[in-house]
Structures are given as C-alpha cells and as structure tokens.
Amino acid sequence: MTKFDRAAAEQMLTSVFARWIQDLDLSIESLESDGAVLRMPFSDKLCRDNGVVCGQALMSVADTAMVFAVSSAARAYRPMTTVDQTMHFLRPAANADVLAEARVIRLGRTMAFGSVTLRTDGDGRPVAMAQLAYALLPDGK
C-alpha cells in the first residue's frame, strides 16, 4: 500500500499550488493517516493595517492544510477542488506563526470533508476554525 510521506508533501508545496500560495512560505509540521499540520510563518506582508494577520491568509492556510490532510488520508495527492469553506474567526492572530491542524472527517470516492483548527504558535487557544468540502477529480481534469 502506498504511503503519502513528507517527501511527497514537500514536492506538492512547489508543484500543486498557485505561486501566491507558495509565497506564504508554508512548511509541513506533521502528517498523519487522517490529517496534517502546516505552519504559516508570521510576516508583516500578511497583516492588515492593525498588525493582525488578515482573514484571507488564514482562509488560505486552512484550505491548503486540508489538501494535505486529504492527500495523506488517500495515501497520495489527487486533483481536487474546494466546493465549500466555512470559517469562524475567534480571535486575532498577531506576531506569531499560525499552525493549521487539518483533519479529514470523511473521505469518499468523489467528495472529502474535513475541519481545520488554526492556532498561533505557543498558544493553544484557537484563532479560527474551518469546515471544508472538496470534490475529488479524476486525474487530468
């Protein structure tokens, strides 16, 4: 049985995602059989005028982390597209890296569902929570 490992995940960072996602400088903290944890380093370029990481960056890291979680659960990357993302912002993220812990809730033949909890490094309190759904596409589509 094939295993989706760190080498495959690292390769995905540079080959699957849009260039502006690559510009977030994400790194893979861990991979599990049903999930993944990604790190988004703090940067002023991600902040609004008040020094808080913008919601668009938080939504992007949540969506990206879930792609890794689905790939890990499926034991390989498979083309997919986000069909739904619901995000709840709970408190500001400022002056710290953001960790996105993604878990697959259900992996089907054509759809995948999951949740992501975002926290700042060193603080266990959630910054945001997301629920996501993906359509799993045939190869080459």
Side-chain angles (χ1 to χ4, degrees):
M1 197 156 260
T2 308
K3 180 179 179 183
F4 182 76
D5 60 11
R6 184 172 291 275
E10 295 286 348
Q11 194 271 334
M12 273 179 60
L13 278 172
T14 59
S15 65
V16 171
F17 299 99
R19 179 70 188 141
W20 67 270
I21 292 293
Q22 294 175 30
D23 290 343
L24 294 174
D25 297 322
L26 303 176
S27 61
I28 298 147
E29 291 288 301
S30 65
L31 295 170
E32 296 179 22
S33 62
D34 68 342
V37 179
L38 266 58
R39 176 182 296 268
M40 182 174 66
F42 177 79
S43 171
D44 287 331
K45 71 181 180 181
L46 302 177
C47 293
R48 297 177 52 85
D49 59 352
N50 60 359
V52 171
V53 176
C54 69
Q56 295 92 334
L58 296 174
M59 291 181 79
S60 296
V61 71
D63 185 46
T64 305
M66 187 53 63
V67 172
F68 283 94
V70 170
S71 297
S72 190
R75 295 183 198 87
Y77 171 71
R78 181 172 168 189
M80 64 187 86
T81 188
T82 310
V83 295
D84 184 59
Q85 180 173 1
T86 301
M87 192 86 170
H88 298 281
F89 299 98
L90 306 174
R91 65 183 188 87
N95 300 311
D97 292 0
V98 174
L99 298 172
E101 181 180 333
R103 292 278 173 243
V104 174
I105 296 169
R106 182 177 184 281
L107 177 62
R109 191 175 49 81
T110 60
M111 294 288 295
F113 302 88
S115 64
V116 180
T117 302
L118 302 177
R119 294 179 172 85
T120 52
D121 195 15
D123 190 335
R125 298 175 300 157
V127 167
M129 296 182 338
Q131 298 293 314
L132 298 106
Y134 294 84
L136 303 176
L137 307 172
D139 286 335
K141 300 256 173 168

